[in-house]
Amino acid sequence: MKPPRLKLLAALFCGFLIFVVIPSFTEVRTLLAAPLFITETAASGDACYVLAGGETIWERLNAAADLVHLGRVPSIYLMDNPARDQYNVREGRSWSRGRWYVDYLGWRGVPAERIRVIPAAEGFFGTRTEAANLASHLDAGVRQVVIVSSAPHMRRALMAFRNALPATVAVVPFAATELRSSQELCHPLWIEYVKLAVYSVMSWWR
């Protein structure tokens, strides 16, 4: 085998170790994700908003329910998701994802009157779209909103909501879990860094 081939194989092997093997360890990924993480553990406000998100929505709903039970917020806002989801045996038909979210909060002991479901909104930049959507449906008396999302999303979410909500409304970040416990930690972190960079540029041009 020629020396150049050995160098190429060595370079590929090193790249595999650096970009695939080493980041697969939770401790390493936690360090890599640390700049994305921001939270206030004692967060409280006039309401909280649960950001939408695939299967990580459940850790976010759990955190929002905890905020209500701890007396930190009186109500929960969440955006409806009309997409059809799993079959509900009790009702004999499939429910929308949004209805499952409300049912889950009820199972966690959150009274129905404390849950505010706002209409779904679509946009290319999902978090910015959610922030603008909440701004148009937020009750006039709300002066401080706690936003609940997965740990690696918090810095970008905070930026988006502070830009979208009126200056009279304070935004407080509350991560659904510790950084190392979030399901999102298993997702590609580089994508979140790219999104954060894009949101930063858009905020600067705003």
Side-chain angles (χ1 to χ4, degrees):
M1 186 178 291
K2 297 179 180 179
R5 287 189 178 182
L6 284 174
K7 290 181 179 179
L8 177 60
L9 286 175
L12 290 173
F13 181 71
C14 290
F16 178 74
L17 287 176
I18 294 171
F19 296 106
V20 178
V21 177
I22 295 176
S24 67
F25 292 96
T26 301
E27 293 76 9
V28 176
R29 293 186 67 78
T30 301
L31 288 174
L32 292 174
L36 302 169
F37 180 61
I38 183 170
T39 190
E40 291 189 19
T41 56
S44 63
D46 302 312
C48 75
Y49 176 78
V50 181
L51 275 82
E55 291 308 309
T56 57
I57 186 67
W58 308 109
E59 67 183 28
R60 303 175 189 185
L61 292 172
N62 278 329
D66 288 344
L67 288 174
V68 171
H69 293 315
L70 290 170
R72 304 271 194 86
V73 298
S75 59
I76 299 172
Y77 282 78
L78 66 155
M79 189 172 69
D80 191 18
N81 186 336
R84 305 306 294 180
D85 200 72
Q86 295 178 345
Y87 186 80
N88 186 305
V89 177
R90 291 174 298 173
E91 296 229 346
R93 60 191 177 92
S94 295
W95 273 6
S96 69
R97 288 189 66 84
R99 189 163 181 183
W100 277 115
Y101 301 160
V102 173
D103 184 74
Y104 183 77
L105 286 172
W107 177 76
R108 282 296 318 275
V110 179
E113 62 271 17
R114 293 198 174 197
I115 304 170
R116 173 80 181 274
V117 180
I118 62 178
E122 295 183 0
F124 183 76
F125 296 100
T127 303
R128 287 174 62 92
T129 300
E130 284 192 70
N133 191 36
L134 177 63
S136 64
H137 291 92
L138 200 62
D139 290 340
V142 175
R143 289 293 175 264
Q144 182 155 300
V145 175
V146 179
I147 57 169
V148 180
S149 190
S150 299
H153 287 176
M154 291 310 304
R155 191 169 296 278
R156 177 166 58 90
L158 181 62
M159 181 187 303
F161 278 78
R162 282 182 173 170
N163 286 333
L165 294 178
T168 55
V169 179
V171 182
V172 181
F174 185 73
T177 67
E178 295 180 356
L179 186 55
R180 65 179 292 113
S181 302
S182 176
Q183 293 182 43
E184 289 288 346
L185 197 64
C186 299
H187 295 187
L189 294 175
W190 69 268
I191 295 178
E192 187 59 35
Y193 274 105
V194 170
K195 290 181 179 180
L196 180 61
V198 171
Y199 275 51
S200 298
V201 172
M202 294 177 69
S203 298
W204 185 73
W205 281 104
R206 183 175 179 268

